[in-house]
Amino acid sequence: MKKLMIAVAAATLASAAAAAYPEKPVTIVVPFAAGGPTDKVARDLAETLRKHLNNQTVVIENVGGAGGTLGAAKVAKASPDGYTLLLHHIGMSTAPALYRNLPFKVLEDFEYVGMVNDVPMTLIGRTSLPASNMAELRTWLTANKGKINLANAGLGAASHLCGLLFQQQMGIDMTTVPYKGTAPAMTDLLGGQVDIMCDQTTNTTGQIESGKVKAFAVTTTKRLTTPALSKLPTLDESGLKGFNVSIWHGVYAPKNTPKAVVDQLNTALRAALKDPEFIKRQEALGAVVVTDGRVAPAEHKKFVEAEIAKWGPAIKAAGQYAD
Ligand code: ASP
């Protein structure tokens, strides 16, 4: 009887807390530098989510480093009260294969809130590169073996995965230059300090449009429809058969966040994904807002599980590990 009363009291407290949620600003941790593609998605989403969370402020905290694993680890250990969330990308599914001592368990340490969007990547280069299309780039890369600098956002980043597969399929090893995100990597690419990079369209579309970088190809098997990118060939049609990397973003809360809070966040997320302004802004950057079942927490988790199974063998075959 006493046990039952305690359980009832705890459940009442939890639902009272959920009913009041959010009563203070909610923080979304972005595991990469400010100004980059993950950050841009998070800031756009935060602005839209706020409208569906009692107009409560949604703050972005950038915790870049180690390919996104530092930020994810911080959220895994945060208080499970709905006030610290994570917005992360495909790195959630590649980290388990890349890190021997990953400080969190992707499938056990988080509540899955739902997925946000799918974003293709582009292969871009500094404007001073003496190559303007894929064939010329291949010639230049072959002639410059041992001297090529490929920027990325660290082991586990999307740019790392894409660059890894690119090197493998080209059969050319490049020197990777890791940054805390592709925003600082882009600054160096614009300055000509690094040669090439794979990055999400959410970060590259504007730079391609204004001619500040050279764009060589897209990483999906289908060409894109975004005007600035529609002329770009796919890597698949450029000789890298089967090359297909598309980045997705999802929202996570620390494990044991009350179900009522996760449900509330999921309802707010679904509303944000139907917001015409949000959809328009995302489309302009080449991102496709999720409209399928992956917006549901269980489907989101199932999808990440499938991605872990998909990328693990490719990464292990490439022999890339960190401790
Ligand atoms: N685009 C980056 C990546 O390579 C991350 C970022 O800076 O948002 O994963």
Side-chain angles (χ1 to χ4, degrees):
M1 184 65 180
K2 201 172 161 196
K3 262 192 193 159
L4 181 71
M5 279 169 68
I6 292 171
V8 170
T12 312
L13 273 179
S15 69
Y21 175 83
E23 55 188 4
K24 59 178 185 180
V26 174
T27 297
I28 298 182
V29 171
V30 169
F32 295 103
T38 314
D39 183 68
K40 280 183 195 155
V41 171
R43 282 176 201 268
D44 198 2
L45 181 67
E47 199 40 49
T48 317
L49 268 183
R50 167 203 179 106
K51 293 195 237 163
H52 306 285
L53 289 172
N54 310 337
N55 236 358
Q56 194 51 259
T57 307
V58 181
V59 182
I60 301 297
E61 185 186 349
N62 298 90
V63 184
T69 59
L70 293 186
K74 178 166 180 168
V75 177
K77 290 181 192 79
S79 174
D81 54 11
Y83 290 99
T84 309
L85 308 174
L86 172 71
L87 183 124
H88 202 350
H89 63 19
I90 194 168
M92 277 300 252
S93 66
T94 56
L98 285 165
Y99 287 82
R100 284 195 183 96
N101 293 309
L102 195 62
F104 56 88
K105 292 196 176 72
V106 173
L107 296 171
E108 289 165 37
D109 292 351
F110 298 93
E111 301 296 341
Y112 286 61
V113 176
M115 285 182 58
V116 180
N117 62 11
D118 292 293
V119 189
M121 298 189 95
T122 44
L123 176 68
I124 56 173
R126 58 178 162 88
T127 47
S128 51
L129 267 190
S132 295
N133 55 45
M134 273 308 292
E136 289 172 13
L137 181 66
R138 186 186 279 275
T139 306
W140 184 82
L141 292 171
T142 309
N144 286 278
K145 272 186 188 164
K147 289 187 273 177
I148 306 150
N149 287 322
L150 169 73
N152 71 22
L155 212 70
S159 46
H160 165 256
L161 175 69
C162 178
L164 178 69
L165 300 174
F166 181 66
Q167 291 176 81
Q168 254 184 344
Q169 291 208 24
M170 290 291 284
I172 299 174
D173 284 339
M174 303 171 196
T175 306
T176 49
V177 186
Y179 295 82
K180 284 194 174 170
T182 42
M186 181 66 90
T187 304
D188 275 8
L189 191 78
L190 295 175
Q193 281 94 334
V194 287
D195 300 315
I196 55 170
M197 168 165 84
C198 275
D199 201 11
Q200 282 97 310
T201 57
T202 31
N203 202 32
T204 62
T205 306
Q207 307 289 8
I208 293 170
E209 254 167 345
S210 58
K212 291 194 180 129
V213 296
K214 281 191 173 175
F216 294 103
V218 298
T219 63
T220 41
T221 43
K222 272 200 191 135
R223 286 192 181 209
L224 305 180
T225 51
T226 315
L229 311 171
S230 59
K231 289 203 178 70
L232 291 176
T234 66
L235 282 171
D236 175 80
E237 73 186 78
S238 309
L240 304 189
K241 282 281 154 255
F243 199 107
N244 190 14
V245 180
S246 180
I247 304 315
W248 41 267
H249 296 89
V251 179
Y252 307 81
K255 188 76 192 170
N256 296 325
T257 300
K259 180 168 181 317
V261 169
V262 175
D263 288 348
Q264 211 179 324
L265 285 166
N266 180 259
T267 303
L269 176 64
R270 284 173 191 267
L273 299 188
K274 289 200 179 112
D275 186 303
E277 284 303 311
F278 180 72
I279 296 171
K280 210 163 118 195
R281 285 196 301 269
Q282 291 289 302
E283 273 175 4
L285 295 172
V288 180
V289 170
V290 166
T291 53
D292 56 40
R294 295 173 301 159
V295 73
E299 289 301 309
H300 175 193
K301 188 169 183 180
K302 239 197 245 167
F303 179 76
V304 174
E305 255 178 294
E307 287 282 285
I308 292 174
K310 173 177 167 183
W311 294 114
I315 290 166
K316 287 197 170 126
Q320 296 255 321
Y321 294 109
D323 285 328

